[in-house]
Each structure stands twice: as structure tokens, then as C-alpha cells.
Amino acid sequence: MGVLNREEDLQSYGYNDDGMVTDSSELQLETEECIRRVFFPYTQESPMPLPIASLDLRKLRHVKYVLGALDNLASHWTALDASKPWLCYWILHALDLLGYKIPERLAVRAISTMQHIQSPTGGFGGGPGQDAHLATTYAAVNTLAIIGTKEAYDVINRETLADFLMSVKQKDGSFTMTVGGEVDVRGSYCAMSAATITNIVTPELTTNAAEFIARCQTYEGGIGGFPGVEAHAGYTFCGLAALELLGRTDILNLDTFTRWSSSRQMSMEGGFQGRTNKLVDGCYAFWTGGIFPILGKMLETAGQDTEALDFVYDRDGLQEYLLVACQSKTGGLRDKPSKPVDYYHTCYCLSGLSLSQHQMSFRHELKDIAPGGLSSLLWSENYDKRRVIGSPSNALETTHPVLNIRTDKVRKAFLHYYGKSAEDIIEEVDIEIIRS
Amino acid sequence: MAELDDMPFYDKPEWADVVPIPQDDGPNPLVPIAYTKEYSTTMDYFRAMCRAQEKSERALDLTKIVIELSPSHYTVWYYRQQLLKELNKDLKEELEWLEWMVNEHPKSYQIWHHRQVIVGRIAQSFVAHTTTTTTTPTTAQSTEAAFSFDDLPQSQKTAAQDLVNSELDFIAESLEDDTKNYHAWSYRQWVLAHFGLGPWWVGELAYTEELIGKDVRNNSAWNQRYFVVTNSPGGLTEEGVQREVQFAKSKIEQTPSNESPWVYLTGVLRKGNHPVTEIKEFCEGLLSVPRANFSPFVHATLLDIYEVEAKEQRSAASVEKAKEEAIMLAEKVDSIRSKYWNWRKTQLQKIDVVA
């Protein structure tokens, strides 16, 4: 498996334009040309191929890159003035995955920053004084969960958060991103994730939520942002993860969903695209790659032969793409070699890499003792299926396949918000891990 | 007077009464942005407007200034929406400004959503009766039509048609720059659906054909075509299914390795309750076309077809035939997906064989 070490030349795995050139095929072939160049030194086409074992995730450089954003962003960052919790999450989550221990002074600042961003009417906006927004609420809750101290958890006003979530909940099961804002499937995920972590999920919050997401599944099998709109990996992950938190993944057409998801892996590049006939992008390593752990759980539940599953995608290929094409020499990760690095891509390339290295699977046998939100605690790594491409030190920390924060941070947060029931479950999960 | 026009608004006398409110980040915040003085002062004044909930012309002007400095600042967009309503402003003028904004920032959620809100309001203003009972912007998001087009009086029908057509033209122009812009397509679907079953649906099918003609790999156009055939007046009829099957087949013949028409074809068959086995001859025919016989999609569809047959016939031979396709895909024509094809193979092995 993998894309660097295949029988044929790279080119033969490339896109076949059937002799009919269109804008889409031109762009695709251009991209392949660029990827081929960076892949070349590792392939058998090279006179002296570099070993794949030499592929190195330059962790320290990436740490330095993201740390740089925490203290001073230049004025052009005003474009993200309504996304401060996102910046915090992308950076802190990247640090977590890279195994960098977040120092106390950073934790204190994160807590204070989020405190000043929280809206008096509940939820978190993009910055102090801004209206609450589901995406920034998601990011803020995750940020505080990453900090993982009692002070951090206590920042969140759970009552007003619940009010905010209900204020954007629509009768048809969808959520607007903000009061007066747009509806799309991201809202469902952001709301469910924040509510699950903080233990404020109610039947009122979830009424019709699964049905709305199901209406977003298209004829292609993936999920679009809104019923009728094109299937897109970002919305597909959000819809799927929301359904998982709702316990309703059975509502999807499993066959077309599986087919669409596995069709998103690019034959030559190894990375994922977000939509049919569009280009590879490192961030889809998470949005598309992140589908597979949950999909694996669905296939297992449907009794569809777990042995054949080591995820229905080429893990090596994805990792090779990320390591060779997405790392910048000066730190940070990116969409593809022709694009600049940014914090968003750094976060999601690393998240996708982590999920590919560690096979996160669901402990079905403990389902009955972990109802509702608590089922999030039943994800653990299947060590036998660990697969780290390149140097062994490339291994990242494990991330939760639904919530996308480090698994130990999930446990800590759940212990805080769910108390004894979380404790009991964690104990059971650990016993199961030792047993298997 | 030139000097006064160069002056930032907050230095002008008409703003002297306002006490600006500085941003309260707290001590030593994370990710501090080095705002320009212009931006941070503008925001200080905006905060003051918000705090006082001032609904005035100057507040409206201020929202425009903020938006042009920071187009993704959704709080300001919402405030502007409230102001436009309270001050009963000319929404057509707003649309003109938005046209310019969308060209500057084609991938902004806020700008497209704002347009949707404004167009939704314009629609409400000329339609006497609506099927929805609320006037909040959020209902503008539903694919449920706000109107029953046929029940509208003629003058309102004309007004609706004009509005829809001008919006469709605007979106088409935007799509010329980026034929797959997700926001543009989402908004286009809203425009088509929101005003009910009017005559614009007919033109839309032709529009998708035009775009597919320009780039047969434009999956957004194919998705739109599916949206049209399943949502337009009458829905997807048997005649429609046949027409669409022919259309997809003709595009497949042009580009057999193009995923879009394949997934469209199987999608339409499924929607029309036609078994995929119906296109067996078509697929097998492609095997003898040199260009096509290594297309992963030919083999993937044959796998689907032979799998259906194997389940019906339950003979070892039919299962073998299907397995051969799965192996072909895993080992030769679509090896990146070998795990998926091998998984399909194991599913075949579960078929209860009687002969």
C-alpha cells in the first residue's frame, strides 16, 4: 500500500482525461505534476530513491510555527477578527497532537481570553463583544477542554450555553450558525459537540436533528451543507459526527456513503479531495479521513465483517502525501505544495495524520453501560493496527475521532462534566484494553 | 469639501456625542491582532452603537465601514440587517452594493447569506400571502417555498419572475469566475426553491446542460441537474428518468473515466426505482471500447450489477463473476481503493449460494 512505492510509475496512477481536456482535468493534471515532483525522490523512478523510513515529521518546527501566532498577529489578521476561538483551537490542538506540553502561563491566558469572549447571553463569539456563533462556540469549548483544568471548565456557563443552542435550533432539526445567520450542517455538529462535552444534551435540542442531516445526504452518498447541495467532505464529516453523537448514524444510506467516502482518495497523490472532480487538499486528511473511524463503527454495527476493515482507505498513501507534500521546511503544514502554510491546515493535516496512524475503534461490547453522550468515551486505539509511516518518532498523540481533541483531554472533560458515570466507564474501557 | 472627506468618520462633528467603547480582551490575551488604528477605533464606535442599540442612519453607515474593513464580521452583518428593516431602506440599493462585495469576497458566508436575507425580504414585500407565518430571516433558509407561485396574482407573478431571473443572472455571472463556488450554488438552489414552482425551473435544466457542456467534469453542475430534475414541477417522471439516463450515458461515452456522470446515472436510476442491472448492456459494451475498458467506473458499476444478479441467482458462477470485477478493481484499475474493493469482495462471499 502507499503511493510512493508502487509497481508502476507515478504517472500511470494519474488522472485519465480520456483525451478530452476541460478546466477540471487541466487543474487536476497540473496538481499531479506538482505532486509528482515532490514525490519523485522517494519513488523507484529516482536513480537513488530515498527510503520511506526517512520520512520525517518535523515536529519542533511545527511547534515553533504555531507558537508564533499566540503572542502577536499582524494587522492583516483582522480578516480573522471574528474567529479568535478558532485560532486558539487550531494552535492548541496542534500543540497537543505534537506532544508539546502546554505551559501554565498559556493556560491562564487561554482561560482569560475565552472568559472575555463568552457572550453574556450564552455561547462564544469570534471575539469580545461579538454575538455568539456555533462554530466559535465549538472552538472555544474545545480550547477549554484542551486546557483541561477545573478553572477552564468553569469558564463555560452551561445554562446560558444551553439557551444559546436552543436559540439557534430550528423546528426542522437544523441549526442556524448564529441568531439571524445561515443554516448548514456544520451547525448540527458544533451544537452537538459542545453540548455533549458539557453534558447539556436534551431531547428538545435533538428533535429532528438526525432527520435534517439525513436530508443532506445526496445521490452521491456524501453529505452536503443543506438538503440538495453538493456532497462535500467538510459537511460530510460534520453531519456524520453529529449523527454519531445523536446515536443515529443508521439513518444514512450506508452503501452509497461508504462508496462516496472511499472514492475521495486521490489515486496518484494519496491525499483526499473534498468533492468529486476537485483537487487534493491536506485538510481533507481530517474531514474525509476522519470519516473512516466512524464509518468503521457503522460497518461493524451492521455486521459487515470487521476483519476486512483496516479502514476502507489507504492509510499509507494518506500519510505519505501529508509527510512529503504538506510540510513546509520552515514549519507549519499546508493544503498542497503550491499553497502557503496556515494554522487551519496545520491543525487538520496533523489531525488527519493522527487518525491515520492510530486506528481508533469503538468498544461495542460496552455500549449498554455508556448511553447518550457517554458513548464518546468508548473510543480507544486498536494498538495492533497502529501504522506510523516514516520515522517512528512521527507518531502523534491520539485524537478523538468525533470531537477532535486529544483522547486524554476528552476523558478529563467527561470526568468533570459527567462525574461518576464517566469514571465507571473509563475504568471498564481500560479493563477491556488490557484484556485485548 | 475635500479635507472633510479625508477625515475618518469618528473625527467628524456628527459623531462627537458618542463615547467609544474599547475592546475588552482582558490582560495578555491569546492571538492578539495588531489592528490598525482605523479599524480599532471604528470597532470602538460600533460597540457604542450596539450597546445603545442605536438604529440610525449613521449607525447604518458605520456598519458598512466595518464590513468593508472586515467582511467576515457576522455580528455587524446582523446588526445591519436589523437597521435596514427599522429604517425601511431601499433593498434594491443594498443588492447593488452586495454585488460588488461578492465580487471582492466570493467565498464569504456572510455576504451570500446577507443577500439571501435581503432578497427574502424583497419577496415578502411584494407578495400579499405567504405560506410561512414568521418573518425572521431564518425561515428564508428553508427549501420550503415561501409562496405558491400559481396562486399569486399576475402582477406579483411578474415581480417574482423578475427577481428570480435577476438573481439567477447574478449568480451565473459569479459562477463564471469559479464554476464550483459552493456558496453560489447553495444560494442558487435557495432562489429556485424559495419562490415556488415558477417557470424558471425549465431554464435551469438548460443551464446545467450548458455548464456540463463547458466542463463535463463540473460535479456542481451535475449536482444541480439532479436538484432540478427532482424538484421541478412534476418531479422526476418516468420520461425524465429515460431522458436523464440517455444524457448521462452520452457524457460517459465522451469521458468514461469521469466520475460525475457515472454517479449521476446510478443516482437517477435509484431515484426512479430502476435497478442498476438495466445498464448492464451499456457497461459491458464499454469493455470493448479501448478508451473505456480501464475506467474504474465501468468495472465498479459492473460489480454493482453482478452483485445484484448474484443475490438474485445465488449461483457460484454469478458470485465468481462479481468477484472478478472486485479483484480487477483492487489489483489493476483502482488499486488506491483496494481495501474498499476487497471489502466488497468479502461481502460477495457472504451470498448464500445454492448452485
Side-chain angles (χ1 to χ4, degrees):
Chain A
M1 310 279 355
V3 294
L4 296 173
N5 222 348
R6 286 183 283 194
E7 251 175 60
E8 314 282 336
D9 284 353
L10 272 176
Q11 181 125 21
S12 61
Y13 298 99
Y15 190 76
N16 179 357
D17 69 6
D18 298 312
M20 184 173 187
V21 176
T22 65
D23 286 347
S24 299
S25 61
E26 233 168 29
L27 274 172
Q28 176 58 24
L29 291 174
E30 232 171 71
T31 303
E32 286 180 1
E33 165 75 39
C34 169
I35 302 303
R36 255 207 317 279
R37 258 183 273 127
V38 300
F39 276 5
F40 179 80
Y42 299 91
T43 66
Q44 54 166 5
E45 296 163 67
S46 157
M48 218 170 114
L50 297 169
I52 291 173
S54 71
L55 283 175
D56 179 36
L57 178 68
R58 293 182 278 272
K59 288 183 175 177
L60 195 53
R61 275 182 225 188
H62 301 317
V63 167
K64 287 197 172 133
Y65 168 70
V66 297
L67 281 177
L70 290 177
D71 296 324
N72 186 22
L73 291 168
S75 68
H76 70 263
W77 284 95
T78 303
L80 285 181
D81 197 26
S83 298
K84 285 187 171 172
W86 274 121
L87 283 162
C88 294
Y89 166 65
W90 296 331
I91 291 162
L92 292 173
H93 184 49
L95 291 172
D96 253 8
L97 291 174
L98 291 162
Y100 179 84
K101 191 167 185 309
I102 295 164
E104 169 88 27
R105 53 187 168 76
L106 264 187
V108 165
R109 286 171 66 196
I111 288 166
S112 169
T113 304
M114 292 305 139
Q115 239 159 5
H116 285 83
I117 290 178
Q118 185 164 223
S119 163
T121 50
F124 296 80
Q130 296 179 32
D131 293 345
H133 190 289
L134 279 176
T136 46
T137 296
Y138 166 83
V141 169
N142 272 4
T143 296
L144 291 164
I146 289 170
I147 301 301
T149 60
K150 185 173 182 308
E151 292 73 31
Y153 303 134
D154 286 346
V155 167
I156 303 171
N157 182 326
R158 292 164 73 239
E159 260 160 45
T160 55
L161 175 60
D163 291 340
F164 168 60
L165 297 181
M166 286 311 295
S167 78
V168 289
K169 167 81 197 269
Q170 305 303 305
K171 274 204 305 257
D172 68 354
S174 66
F175 292 83
T176 57
M177 295 305 292
T178 179
V179 171
E182 70 277 15
V183 163
D184 67 54
V185 136
R186 293 173 299 155
S188 310
Y189 172 56
C190 293
M192 282 309 298
S193 180
T196 300
I197 291 174
T198 57
N199 194 7
I200 56 170
V201 177
T202 60
E204 292 75 42
L205 185 68
T206 59
T207 313
N208 290 330
E211 284 72 19
F212 172 74
I213 299 168
R215 292 196 294 129
C216 294
Q217 183 176 24
T218 77
Y219 67 93
E220 292 197 79
I223 297 173
F226 192 82
V229 187
E230 193 180 4
H232 181 300
Y235 297 108
T236 301
F237 177 82
C238 288
L240 181 68
L243 284 173
E244 171 58 25
L245 292 171
L246 290 161
R248 297 290 307 279
T249 51
D250 56 298
I251 203 172
L252 293 172
N253 178 327
L254 185 53
D255 288 338
T256 58
F257 187 83
T258 307
R259 169 77 142 265
W260 180 88
S261 303
S262 60
S263 297
R264 304 281 63 77
Q265 190 161 23
M266 305 307 280
S267 178
M268 200 221 88
E269 305 96 295
F272 285 108
Q273 66 187 176
R275 299 185 249 169
T276 305
N277 279 329
K278 290 208 79 182
L279 303 176
V280 71
D281 181 334
C283 73
Y284 292 123
F286 178 75
W287 301 118
T288 321
I291 288 171
F292 293 95
I294 305 172
L295 177 56
K297 171 180 185 264
M298 288 158 73
L299 292 169
E300 286 164 3
T301 305
Q304 303 207 27
D305 207 322
T306 67
E307 278 322 300
L309 292 176
D310 174 20
F311 291 158
V312 281
Y313 79 97
D314 184 342
R315 293 164 72 181
D316 295 15
L318 177 65
Q319 293 188 40
E320 288 167 10
Y321 177 73
L322 291 169
L323 291 167
V324 180
C326 297
Q327 292 193 84
S328 157
K329 292 199 164 74
T330 48
L333 292 107
R334 61 201 171 198
D335 164 350
K336 49 173 72 69
S338 55
K339 298 283 169 75
V341 296
D342 61 51
Y343 305 110
Y344 163 82
H345 280 91
T346 301
C347 170
Y348 288 106
C349 284
L350 291 173
S351 301
L353 184 57
S354 173
L355 281 181
S356 185
Q357 293 172 340
H358 308 278
Q359 195 197 65
M360 300 306 287
S361 70
F362 188 78
R363 302 261 147 203
H364 298 272
E365 65 275 17
L366 295 174
K367 212 165 68 91
D368 293 331
I369 64 161
L374 288 163
S375 67
S376 296
L377 290 171
L378 299 185
W379 292 91
S380 65
E381 183 180 6
N382 192 342
Y383 291 105
D384 299 339
K385 299 271 168 72
R386 178 180 279 214
R387 199 160 171 77
V388 178
I389 296 304
S391 157
S393 63
N394 292 348
L396 292 169
E397 300 298 314
T398 55
T399 191
H400 191 280
V402 182
L403 305 169
N404 200 19
I405 55 176
R406 236 169 58 177
T407 45
D408 59 320
K409 305 291 171 92
V410 171
R411 282 188 167 192
K412 257 190 121 183
F414 273 66
L415 282 169
H416 176 85
Y417 288 108
Y418 289 81
K420 181 98 185 13
S421 18
E423 224 178 282
D424 293 341
I425 293 166
I426 290 170
E427 211 180 292
E428 289 301 316
V429 173
D430 286 342
I431 291 170
E432 279 302 315
I433 292 175
I434 293 169
R435 253 192 221 142
S436 59
Chain B
M1 288 190 266
E3 321 89 73
L4 274 181
D5 285 338
D6 287 341
M7 198 189 284
F9 73 91
Y10 43 81
D11 287 339
K12 293 186 184 171
E14 49 271 33
W15 286 90
D17 63 300
V18 177
V19 178
I21 300 174
Q23 182 160 298
D24 183 15
D25 291 295
N28 207 5
L30 289 181
V31 300
I33 299 170
Y35 305 121
T36 60
K37 177 170 186 289
E38 185 193 1
Y39 181 79
S40 70
T41 313
T42 304
M43 288 311 297
D44 292 348
Y45 277 78
F46 175 68
R47 271 182 282 273
M49 294 289 104
C50 268
R51 172 79 59 87
Q53 281 292 294
E54 183 176 314
K55 300 281 162 68
S56 63
E57 284 292 334
R58 71 176 179 181
L60 184 67
D61 291 340
L62 177 49
T63 60
K64 197 182 235 189
I65 296 173
V66 175
I67 282 166
E68 288 178 4
L69 287 172
S70 185
S72 61
H73 211 291
Y74 58 86
T75 303
V76 170
W77 282 104
Y78 184 52
Y79 196 66
R80 187 174 176 85
Q81 283 160 22
Q82 294 169 301
L83 283 163
L84 289 167
K85 199 161 184 200
E86 291 242 5
L87 301 173
N88 210 7
K89 302 300 290 184
D90 181 342
L91 297 179
K92 293 264 158 88
E93 245 180 66
E94 187 75 356
L95 285 185
E96 272 168 35
W97 172 64
L98 279 177
E99 224 173 281
W100 178 77
M101 283 296 280
V102 161
N103 288 330
E104 295 290 303
H105 310 279
K107 296 204 176 172
S108 159
Y109 277 104
Q110 288 74 36
I111 297 175
W112 286 100
H113 177 68
H114 189 72
R115 192 172 183 101
Q116 188 170 304
V117 168
I118 300 306
V119 169
R121 281 197 198 158
I122 293 174
Q124 275 172 342
S125 69
F126 64 67
V127 171
H129 304 287
T130 68
T131 56
T132 59
T133 52
T134 77
T135 54
T136 57
T138 55
T139 56
Q141 261 289 332
S142 175
T143 45
E144 296 291 303
F147 320 97
S148 168
F149 182 79
D150 287 330
D151 297 340
L152 293 176
Q154 188 52 50
S155 62
Q156 287 174 8
K157 269 189 179 157
T158 311
Q161 269 177 265
D162 287 345
L163 183 57
V164 169
N165 288 333
S166 75
E167 285 309 289
L168 292 178
D169 284 345
F170 164 71
I171 300 164
E173 236 181 84
S174 185
L175 283 172
E176 271 177 35
D177 290 332
D178 177 0
T179 56
K180 302 181 185 182
N181 185 325
Y182 204 80
H183 302 285
W185 283 112
S186 304
Y187 178 57
R188 196 174 179 90
Q189 289 191 354
W190 177 84
V191 168
L192 288 164
H194 188 71
F195 294 84
L197 298 173
W200 45 82
W201 285 97
V202 176
E204 190 67 6
L205 191 66
Y207 179 65
T208 66
E209 192 160 342
E210 187 195 318
L211 290 185
I212 290 169
K214 286 194 183 141
D215 182 351
V216 69
R217 299 178 177 95
N218 185 341
N219 197 65
S220 308
W222 282 99
N223 182 78
Q224 185 72 352
R225 194 171 176 94
Y226 188 89
F227 178 79
V228 172
V229 303
T230 51
N231 284 298
S232 49
L236 182 64
T237 60
E238 185 49 42
E239 195 189 317
V241 172
Q242 293 311 326
R243 182 194 64 227
E244 293 309 304
V245 165
Q246 278 315 114
F247 182 76
K249 280 180 176 175
S250 70
K251 299 304 178 185
I252 287 171
E253 277 159 356
Q254 271 182 356
T255 54
S257 298
N258 171 11
E259 188 170 353
S260 294
W262 281 104
V263 69
Y264 181 82
L265 175 55
T266 51
V268 165
L269 288 171
R270 211 180 318 120
K271 180 77 176 173
N273 289 311
H274 285 240
V276 69
T277 45
E278 250 175 52
I279 54 172
K280 178 170 156 181
E281 212 180 294
F282 172 71
C283 294
E284 285 177 345
L286 286 171
L287 289 175
S288 23
V289 176
R291 262 180 338 126
N293 67 0
F294 284 110
S295 160
F297 307 109
V298 175
H299 294 280
T301 312
L302 282 172
L303 169 57
D304 290 342
I305 290 166
Y306 297 152
E307 186 176 32
V308 169
E309 291 184 335
K311 284 180 179 167
E312 285 167 3
Q313 294 163 24
R314 294 163 77 198
S315 66
S318 60
V319 172
E320 262 323 291
K321 204 166 163 206
K323 270 168 82 172
E324 264 162 41
E325 288 301 328
I327 291 166
M328 174 78 161
L329 285 155
E331 294 180 3
K332 286 200 83 179
V333 300
D334 200 19
S335 58
I336 189 78
R337 262 166 282 287
S338 56
K339 281 197 190 156
Y340 173 71
W341 299 120
N342 286 328
W343 174 74
R344 290 289 301 272
K345 197 175 74 169
T346 51
Q347 299 317 301
L348 292 169
Q349 272 149 354
K350 290 181 182 176
I351 294 174
D352 219 353
V353 161
V354 291

